[in-house]
Amino acid sequence: MRMYDLIKKKRDGGELSAEEINFFIRGVTDGSIPDYQITALLMAIYYKGMNVRETCDLTYAVRDSGEKLDFSSVKGIRADKHSTGGVGDKTSLVVAPIVASYGVKVAKMSGRGLGHTGGTVDKLEAITGFRTTLSEEEFLAQVEKIGLAIVGQSKEFAPADKKLYALRDVTATVDSMPLIASSIMGKKLAADDDVIVLDVKTGSGSFMKSVEKSRELARLMVDIGKNAGKKMVALITNMDRPLGYAVGNSLEVIEAVDTLRGHGPEDLTQVCLALASRMLSLAGKGSAEECFALARRAIEEGTAFEKFKECVKAQGGDVSLLEHTGTFAKAKYSREVKSPAEGYIQSADTEAYGIASLLLGAGRNTAEDEIDYSAGILLRKKTGDFVKKGETLATLLTNSEKALAASEETLLKATVLGKEKPAEEPLIYGSVE
Ligand code: URA
């Protein structure tokens, strides 16, 4: 079998067999296929797509590309959530502790930022000392002891996805339905959780820009999971505006802590409660309504925040930062972005907001880039809000003074003002069960 023939076949719209897909993933994993041929095939898949059978085969090949975790030492139901990626999406930091506070085991393997979107691992690393790499023994022991551990993907686990994820990130091949579905579900199936809740983002800040496409992606992933015997639900949630008001790593940890303490932004709180309640319900804790009340109670009574602190402490993080969020390191430079005119914010291109944050240092342009944890954007106004001329739309924060101008320009270009108040969009478009 030759990689050249696979690339040509897909480029011409052909269907790859299971053997060909396995050959590809084996070569990605053992390093025998060079990056230029991998990315050529990724681009061909991006343009020509894959049918359901090919996507399932790709998912299983990703799942089988590395070791599986042996959870036999962990008692009880294991549940996980995964987002398709968004801007200001810090839901994992809130949802995982809520669910774990009810005794459901959350063994979370999270990703780093991808494209314009942020990643949970980068956010957690904003907490001084937090170790996102644990040995398998440490990881499993922590899940068994406190019910919650959040780590980055280890080398041994779905290694094909690790390689493909990094290459897609720098070759404009992220927003492809079969590639997203196989990346997410390959990892989720390898982790072998009982319950998986997917947060499929839709809108300008997500990889799927329309509700129809997001629903299609959700259906595909739910079917893959169900075929593998998992309890699955996908929520389709709005990413036409950032979630909450903070974009950037330590800023998002602070907002997640505010939410765990019961005074987070309404949109973030509602999405977190919806996701947590679905996880709790599939884990057998009651109906979706009962579990919504449970999730709310975990915030009101502070048990979710306690669980988060327990997890951070167990992974070496400085818990005092969470108790006194004002002590997170501050960026050296800031700029208030002023509105050039008066009116309602009609729309904001949320992908551009993600890029504006990345330009400030909150994300990576190349795989080698170092993250500036204190960099990012604090939004003062969001879509639907009225602004006066000269009023602050957002505050930019960075340690690189020269980054301010480009970020400001990106943000202003992405913000459309108009006379009429725009119609309100739903926060949650529905679910795929
Ligand atoms: N998250 C993933 O893990 N993979 C993708 O392809 C997109 C979001």
Side-chain angles (χ1 to χ4, degrees):
M1 214 175 274
R2 291 191 322 150
M3 196 52 199
Y4 177 92
D5 298 321
L6 268 63
I7 296 168
K8 188 160 176 291
K9 189 175 187 186
K10 187 44 83 183
R11 181 201 70 186
D12 296 339
E15 187 182 324
L16 299 178
S17 68
E19 290 69 37
E20 287 168 331
I21 289 171
N22 288 337
F23 167 81
F24 169 55
I25 292 299
R26 252 197 324 274
V28 169
T29 311
D30 66 18
S32 59
I33 303 175
D35 288 0
Y36 52 83
Q37 284 189 314
I38 299 175
T39 53
L41 185 59
L42 290 173
M43 194 55 91
I45 294 171
Y46 181 91
Y47 276 111
K48 298 294 175 177
M50 277 184 147
N51 64 25
V52 174
R53 202 268 311 143
E54 288 175 291
T55 308
C56 287
D57 285 335
L58 184 58
T59 306
Y60 302 146
V62 168
R63 174 196 64 192
D64 297 338
S65 66
E67 291 170 11
K68 312 253 172 356
L69 285 173
D70 177 7
F71 278 113
S72 51
S73 59
V74 176
K75 289 179 237 27
I77 304 267
R78 293 189 311 278
D80 197 2
K81 73 155 278 271
H82 199 95
S83 157
T84 55
V87 177
D89 179 10
K90 67 280 290 171
T91 52
S92 287
L93 304 181
V94 181
V95 172
I98 293 178
V99 173
S101 73
Y102 285 102
V104 176
K105 301 282 164 58
V106 184
K108 185 133 194 53
M109 255 183 260
S110 291
R112 296 192 179 277
L114 183 65
H116 64 280
T117 67
T120 302
V121 169
D122 295 332
K123 296 177 217 254
L124 285 169
E125 287 178 355
I127 305 170
T128 314
F130 192 100
R131 291 193 302 140
T132 54
T133 307
L134 300 180
S135 70
E136 189 174 329
E137 293 70 37
E138 282 177 303
F139 181 58
L140 295 174
Q142 185 176 318
V143 174
E144 179 54 16
K145 186 161 173 232
I146 67 171
L148 173 62
I150 312 177
V151 293
Q153 196 181 328
S154 76
K155 288 203 295 301
E156 297 79 26
F157 183 82
D161 178 64
K162 206 170 166 104
K163 173 92 191 177
L164 295 177
Y165 197 91
L167 288 175
R168 286 167 60 215
D169 193 21
V170 290
T171 57
T173 48
V174 172
D175 46 341
S176 145
M177 196 160 321
L179 295 180
I180 295 176
S182 57
S183 162
I184 292 180
M185 291 311 296
K187 286 185 293 237
K188 293 296 106 178
L189 296 187
D192 201 21
D193 286 296
D194 307 294
V195 166
I196 302 166
V197 173
L198 300 171
D199 182 6
V200 179
K201 302 284 184 199
T202 193
S204 63
S206 70
F207 294 124
M208 292 291 126
K209 307 291 183 204
S210 73
V211 179
E212 293 68 38
K213 285 275 166 217
S214 301
R215 206 178 285 282
E216 210 182 309
L217 174 63
R219 181 81 269 157
L220 181 61
M221 292 195 289
V222 166
D223 286 347
I224 293 172
K226 283 189 136 177
N227 279 339
K230 306 294 167 199
K231 290 188 179 170
M232 302 276 311
V233 168
L235 294 186
I236 295 155
T237 66
N238 191 322
M239 194 29 77
D240 255 330
R241 62 193 74 186
L243 201 50
Y245 286 84
V247 183
N249 299 289
S250 60
L251 303 176
E252 292 194 41
V253 173
I254 295 170
E255 194 168 68
V257 167
D258 287 345
T259 307
L260 282 167
R261 286 175 145 170
H263 39 85
E266 187 57 19
D267 59 348
L268 175 62
T269 304
Q270 288 306 321
V271 172
C272 289
L273 291 174
L275 291 167
S277 63
R278 293 310 187 106
M279 284 171 79
L280 287 167
S281 182
L282 287 184
K285 298 288 175 188
S287 68
E289 294 73 37
E290 286 161 350
C291 289
F292 195 88
L294 289 181
R296 196 190 284 284
R297 194 181 317 148
I299 290 182
E300 281 164 7
E301 295 180 355
T303 49
F305 185 44
E306 285 309 311
K307 187 55 76 183
F308 186 52
K309 286 196 289 184
E310 226 182 309
C311 170
V312 168
K313 184 160 181 242
Q315 291 184 233
D318 180 355
V319 175
S320 74
L321 285 168
L322 308 182
E323 279 158 351
H324 310 283
T325 50
T327 57
F328 267 99
K330 305 249 180 333
K332 258 200 248 156
Y333 305 100
S334 71
R335 180 175 295 182
E336 306 278 298
V337 180
K338 305 285 186 189
S339 179
E342 179 174 292
Y344 287 98
I345 302 182
Q346 300 293 309
S347 64
D349 176 348
T350 306
E351 177 169 346
Y353 275 45
I355 292 167
S357 168
L358 200 140
L359 291 172
L360 294 168
R364 295 177 189 81
N365 283 309
T366 71
E368 289 75 35
D369 280 357
E370 295 258 328
I371 295 251
D372 175 355
Y373 292 107
S374 55
I377 305 173
L378 283 175
L379 298 169
R380 308 299 179 189
K381 300 282 178 186
K382 296 218 298 190
T383 302
D385 288 344
F386 184 79
V387 274
K388 295 200 193 103
K389 185 174 175 183
E391 208 178 344
T392 302
L393 290 170
T395 305
L396 310 181
L397 298 157
T398 181
N399 284 304
S400 161
E401 195 174 12
K402 63 181 190 315
L404 287 167
S407 177
E408 178 176 28
E409 192 186 334
T410 305
L411 199 121
L412 281 172
K413 255 199 211 147
T415 311
V416 179
L417 295 171
K419 282 202 170 60
E420 303 295 320
K421 189 172 168 67
E424 215 159 293
E425 289 170 354
L427 190 56
I428 299 173
Y429 285 94
S431 62
V432 173
E433 314 273 336

